[in-house]
Amino acid sequence: MKSYLDHRTTVGSWLGTTDHKRIGLMFLVATAAMLLLGGAFAILLRLEHLTPGPTIMGAPAYNRVFTLHGVIMVWLFMIPSIPATFGNFLLPVMLGARDVAFPRLNLASFYIYLLGAAITLGGVVASGADTGWTFYVPYSSTTFTPVIPILIGVFILGWSTIITGINFIATTHTLRARNMGWMDIPLFVWAIYATSVIQVLATPVLGMTLLLVTMDHGFGWGFFDPAKGGDVVLFQHVFWFYSHPAVYIMILPAMGVVSEVICTFARKDPYSYVAIAASSVGIAFTGFLTWGHHMFTAGMSTLDAGIFGALSMFVAIFSAIKVFTWTGTLYRGQIQLRSPLAYVFTFLFLFVFGGMTGVAVATTSLDVHWHDTYFVVAHFHFIMVGGTLTTYLAALNYWWPKITGRLYPEKWAMVAAVLTFFGFFSTFFPQFLLGNGGMPRRYYDYAEQFQALHLISTGGSWILSAAFLVTIAYLGWSLVYGEKAGPNPWGSRSYEWFTSSPPPPHNFEETPEFRHRPYDYHERIGT
């Protein structure tokens, strides 16, 4: 039986494919390349901070490098990484569908992503921007650097995000297997569904904002210029109305991966399926109401600050529901400590640690002290980068046998997982201390008293780089020498493991009819 990988092998069959699995795999290659590129910029930033004053670059180059690091990591890796790759590959399989609802539109979303990436990277080559990834005005509307190609590139990337979200919503509503109700769909699908709603509703606001900044920079229209009747704070409102929900575009898919991995390697039903599914929707909804907590220092009334702070706490409540439910699932489970679960444990540590600092910065009195310091950088990286990166690697290891049909050397995978934890923690924990000590973020130079913490942080980035190299090596080895995985090497009872690995072109040899729920570890099951 031929799989989706070998039933047609020409270059044209890949470039013109409408198979969601092949499109997901192409997204995987593209986003992984962006991760490595964004990571290379991060290494340059950490090298520069080895010493106070100039180390390897000047101040203007430093401003460009931290901007390009943020632009590439946020817009080209973190937002599309899990939804566009693993969502594309797995959502139809988990629903028992042959493909997504709009296969050609799905292929178009990939090429729109490539177009947006090409224009954005073109802006990078053309000396780059120095505005930071948030493009705050008035600097982004007045900078001498060529920021417009990057603004337009990110605008185009947004279209890819919207199309992908529409496709996933339509697929979930219309192509579920016979007898599959809403309370039967896998938790990863719930997470992708909630993410898609945010993508469709919030991304147009970002697009509008970026176009207005483009008009201000290119033509001096003055939407955000008080001298021309505009409002500079208005930019922050519309930017964060998108960008705070965008936080959940990154973290909700990660939570879906965690739910799948924990159930499989604990050999146990989720402690509360309904609580995990409902909290995903709750986070998606509440995320639209909390953008103001990014603006406590921008000028707002005490009442408004209190309301935004209180609403932000609701996100913490929904997140806590998930953490307690995952912990309850692990409790008394038949735990098999494999590399995907090791990455999930790292996620839980970073998420709980970083989440508590998020509760702190949602409190106005503390936020005023830590705003625009390295404390915020560390908080963002613990929650968003750590959350996305560790679950991206967990998903890559967990579904690698499903995607490629090959196993990898588990020993080296565990080595990479351990290096990732220590590398990430030693890189970003010192930045909490730097911020609390008064070190502003995005500063090229710093006082000598901060050098020891910067030195530890830079050393951590090298450990993290070693983890990436090990990962690339053992996954590359498995493609050539890896043992065949068989259909279900983890013994999971999630739906995607009820077809061959790798799957056939239309996912299942026969139309599936699932007669059990996706995590019934206490029952004998079959399709």
Side-chain angles (χ1 to χ4, degrees), residues 315-328:
V315 176
I317 292 172
F318 287 123
S319 299
I321 289 172
K322 286 185 178 294
V323 172
F324 284 128
T325 309
W326 292 327
T327 305

Side-chain angles (χ1 to χ4, degrees), residues 10-198:
T10 63
V11 173
S13 72
W14 278 87
L15 297 180
T17 185
T18 55
D19 185 335
H20 67 96
K21 298 180 291 299
R22 287 191 168 198
I23 294 170
L25 192 53
M26 291 193 291
F27 264 118
L28 178 61
V29 173
T31 55
M34 293 302 105
L35 169 62
L36 295 178
L37 182 59
F41 282 119
I43 293 297
L44 293 176
L45 290 173
R46 293 314 319 162
L47 281 174
E48 171 50 40
H49 274 163
L50 264 179
T51 63
T55 305
I56 61 170
M57 66 184 81
Y62 177 83
N63 287 344
R64 288 182 171 91
V65 170
F66 82 66
T67 297
L68 300 177
H69 163 69
V71 165
I72 291 170
M73 289 298 292
V74 171
W75 307 113
L76 293 171
F77 171 68
M78 290 167 60
I79 287 179
S81 58
I82 296 178
T85 55
F86 300 105
N88 246 318
F89 194 98
L90 293 159
L91 184 136
V93 183
M94 287 180 164
L95 294 175
R98 292 166 61 93
D99 209 319
V100 293
F102 309 111
R104 293 180 180 175
L105 207 57
N106 199 23
L107 179 62
S109 74
F110 175 68
Y111 284 113
I112 291 172
Y113 170 85
L114 290 185
L115 176 63
I119 294 175
T120 303
L121 295 178
V124 173
V125 174
S127 81
D130 60 354
T131 61
W133 71 271
T134 53
F135 308 117
Y136 263 35
V137 295
Y139 195 61
S140 61
S141 57
T142 57
T143 178
F144 66 91
T145 57
V147 68
I148 288 181
I150 295 179
L151 291 170
I152 293 175
V154 175
F155 174 81
I156 293 172
L157 290 169
W159 280 98
S160 174
T161 300
I162 293 170
I163 291 172
T164 299
I166 290 172
N167 227 336
F168 289 165
I169 291 171
T171 304
T172 306
H173 276 270
T174 63
L175 297 181
R176 299 195 305 275
R178 191 185 313 167
N179 299 327
M180 182 185 287
W182 280 94
M183 289 296 106
D184 298 324
I185 64 177
L187 291 168
F188 181 71
V189 175
W190 268 114
I192 294 294
Y193 180 84
T195 303
S196 301
V197 172
I198 301 174

Side-chain angles (χ1 to χ4, degrees), residues 237-297:
H237 279 289
V238 290
F239 179 82
W240 287 115
F241 181 82
Y242 162 81
S243 292
H244 192 75
V247 165
Y248 308 113
I249 293 176
M250 304 176 212
I251 204 66
L252 276 173
M255 292 172 167
V257 173
V258 172
S259 299
E260 297 296 328
V261 171
I262 283 181
C263 289
T264 292
F265 292 104
R267 296 288 187 270
K268 196 177 170 190
D269 300 3
Y271 186 74
S272 174
Y273 172 95
V274 174
I276 294 178
S279 58
S280 295
V281 178
I283 289 173
F285 174 76
T286 311
F288 282 101
L289 307 174
T290 60
W291 79 90
H293 74 223
H294 293 273
M295 302 170 56
F296 286 153
T297 61

Side-chain angles (χ1 to χ4, degrees), residues 258-477:
V258 172
S259 299
E260 297 296 328
V261 171
I262 283 181
C263 289
T264 292
F265 292 104
R267 296 288 187 270
K268 196 177 170 190
D269 300 3
Y271 186 74
S272 174
Y273 172 95
V274 174
I276 294 178
S279 58
S280 295
V281 178
I283 289 173
F285 174 76
T286 311
F288 282 101
L289 307 174
T290 60
W291 79 90
H293 74 223
H294 293 273
M295 302 170 56
F296 286 153
T297 61
M300 67 171 58
S301 70
T302 303
L303 176 63
D304 289 347
I307 292 173
F308 278 120
L311 288 171
S312 300
M313 300 301 174
F314 279 102
V315 176
I317 292 172
F318 287 123
S319 299
I321 289 172
K322 286 185 178 294
V323 172
F324 284 128
T325 309
W326 292 327
T327 305
T329 306
L330 288 166
Y331 181 63
R332 292 187 174 180
Q334 301 173 31
I335 295 175
Q336 292 183 321
L337 184 55
R338 308 297 290 268
S339 53
L341 189 59
Y343 280 113
V344 164
F345 286 157
T346 298
F347 167 86
L348 289 173
F349 176 81
L350 298 176
F351 185 71
V352 173
F353 193 120
M356 294 308 295
T357 63
V359 172
V361 295
T363 307
T364 52
S365 56
L366 295 172
D367 182 74
V368 169
H369 174 68
W370 286 321
H371 191 79
D372 265 342
T373 71
Y374 255 85
F375 192 94
V376 175
V377 177
H379 162 70
F380 179 84
H381 280 80
F382 259 59
I383 289 286
M384 302 316 308
V385 182
T388 304
L389 181 64
T390 56
T391 52
Y392 177 81
L393 293 170
L396 188 61
N397 282 269
Y398 179 55
W399 284 305
W400 183 263
K402 174 58 62 182
I403 294 170
T404 67
R406 299 284 180 174
L407 295 176
Y408 50 80
E410 178 64 19
K411 179 178 68 177
W412 285 106
M414 289 297 287
V415 169
V418 172
L419 286 174
T420 299
F421 171 78
F422 284 106
F424 198 92
F425 185 79
S426 55
T427 301
F428 295 106
F429 179 73
Q431 297 181 10
F432 280 118
L433 305 179
L434 285 167
N436 198 50
M439 167 94 195
R441 63 173 175 168
R442 297 179 174 177
Y443 269 39
Y444 168 68
D445 198 2
Y446 58 84
E448 290 189 1
Q449 69 196 61
F450 296 128
Q451 186 175 11
L453 290 170
H454 275 298
L455 189 63
I456 296 171
S457 182
T458 301
S461 70
W462 295 344
I463 299 174
L464 200 53
S465 300
F468 286 160
L469 293 177
V470 172
T471 301
I472 292 170
Y474 76 74
L475 290 181
W477 182 92

